[in-house]
Amino acid sequence: MQRFEELEQIQPVAVKMLKKMINHNRIAHAYLIHGDPGTKKRAIAETLALRLFCRETETAEPCLQCRDCKRVISGNHPDLHWIKPDGLSIKKEQIEALQREFIYSGVESNRKVYVIEDADLMTVNASNRLLKFLEEPSQETTAILLTKNQQQLLDTIRSRCQMIALRPLSGKAIETALIEDGITKENARIFQAIAPQLEEAKALNQDEWFAEARKLMVQLVGMLIDKPQERCYLLKNIGCNILTIGINCCSV
């Protein structure tokens, strides 16, 4: 579980905004956190939920040690609800079940938090149900919506949320994330230089054409160093091989 001070290194503007709201006790009833895959949407939502439930700190940071923090971290806090797509979408029945949960007072206190992941995948009926929920907010209820495509949400939903925009990951951050995902340092450095987004960079690791082309390029560089006098022949031969691989992959 990450603290705000760690997340601030990756998303300084967004995290500073949230910390300022917390320090001034100006918690919104709904947040819409949007950004590309890998920009720490879920981690920021988790840390915000931790801080909202934590009663053992006077700073913007959750203590991570109290009973409430430990229950949130373990996924067992009864007043924190996570909604994820059921199959390809978030359905009306899921939002209705959430509304029923919120009829009752919080188990631990009056504070309740719900997080909706991939909020852009809500069906029309689910969106309309959620809108009604947002229009009648409880003072102790906080909604956190996460999305990579906030334009797919209803304008009326977006207008009722505090928007938190996450900036794209830097090349160094993508490289670090790839290494943490098990990709070698050498490949991670190459992938982040080619792909501007984390998911695209990860996809290169599964790309057969890219792997074969890279292998041939490594061979080419090695041979050019060893046999500079055969440069033209080597460039033509390796280039034809790379083109052949590309044609074969595209025809599959």
Side-chain angles (χ1 to χ4, degrees):
M1 185 65 64
Q2 293 179 295
R3 293 167 60 87
F4 278 134
E5 64 181 4
E6 298 167 353
L7 294 168
E8 194 170 350
Q9 303 302 313
I10 303 171
Q11 296 293 343
V13 176
V15 172
K16 285 178 182 177
M17 183 187 301
L18 285 171
K19 289 172 67 175
K20 185 176 180 179
M21 291 178 184
I22 293 169
N23 287 329
H24 289 82
N25 197 28
R26 295 176 181 170
I27 304 299
H29 76 277
Y31 292 94
L32 176 55
I33 303 175
H34 60 96
D36 295 333
T39 49
K40 297 295 183 178
K41 293 188 292 292
R42 182 183 174 91
I44 291 173
E46 289 174 338
T47 306
L48 178 56
L50 271 167
R51 180 57 185 85
L52 292 175
F53 285 114
C54 182
R55 288 177 274 184
E56 301 298 328
T57 182
E58 295 181 358
T59 71
E61 292 284 7
C63 74
L64 304 184
Q65 300 300 321
C66 70
R67 180 171 178 267
D68 284 300
C69 281
K70 289 180 177 179
R71 295 184 78 177
V72 171
I73 293 170
S74 67
N76 293 317
H77 200 293
D79 296 325
L80 174 60
H81 302 268
W82 288 81
I83 304 295
K84 300 179 182 180
D86 179 10
L88 298 177
S89 64
I90 296 174
K91 300 173 174 58
K92 178 183 71 173
E93 292 76 15
Q94 292 175 269
I95 304 301
E96 289 176 339
L98 179 67
Q99 288 175 305
R100 288 193 294 271
E101 286 283 344
F102 278 66
I103 291 174
Y104 308 103
S105 298
V107 175
E108 303 294 332
S109 68
N110 289 328
R111 166 67 64 188
K112 285 200 170 197
V113 177
Y114 63 95
V115 183
I116 300 181
E117 296 190 57
D118 296 317
D120 53 292
L121 297 182
M122 285 188 291
T123 64
V124 174
N125 288 334
S127 295
N128 288 328
R129 280 285 181 179
L130 179 65
L131 178 59
K132 185 175 181 180
F133 205 18
L134 292 173
E135 288 174 337
E136 303 171 355
S138 165
Q139 188 175 359
E140 297 294 324
T141 296
T142 302
I144 306 174
L145 279 60
L146 310 179
T147 179
K148 63 182 179 183
N149 189 359
Q150 52 105 356
Q151 295 297 332
Q152 291 295 318
L153 292 169
L154 296 177
D155 290 341
T156 43
I157 288 179
R158 288 189 286 142
S159 68
R160 286 166 173 75
C161 298
Q162 172 68 56
M163 305 286 281
I164 304 291
L166 304 184
R167 69 181 189 180
L169 293 178
S170 66
K172 185 62 178 177
I174 291 176
E175 183 178 335
T176 299
L178 292 174
I179 293 172
E180 291 175 351
D181 205 46
I183 295 174
T184 65
K185 290 183 179 180
E186 182 183 30
N187 282 345
R189 190 176 301 114
I190 294 172
F191 295 163
Q192 68 84 14
I194 295 173
Q197 295 185 2
L198 180 59
E199 294 303 309
E200 293 177 1
K202 286 183 178 180
L204 288 176
N205 196 48
Q206 307 298 324
D207 192 310
E208 182 180 344
W209 178 87
F210 185 85
E212 290 297 326
R214 180 180 179 278
K215 185 188 301 182
L216 289 172
M217 288 303 297
V218 170
Q219 293 175 1
L220 172 61
V221 171
M223 287 188 286
L224 286 175
I225 294 173
D226 295 335
K227 302 177 181 179
Q229 70 278 6
E230 299 182 18
R231 180 168 43 208
C232 291
Y233 169 77
L234 292 172
L235 285 171
K236 180 179 179 181
N237 188 45
I238 297 292
C240 289
N241 287 339
I242 292 175
L243 180 60
T244 301
I245 293 171
I247 293 172
N248 290 339
C249 288
C250 289
S251 64
V252 173

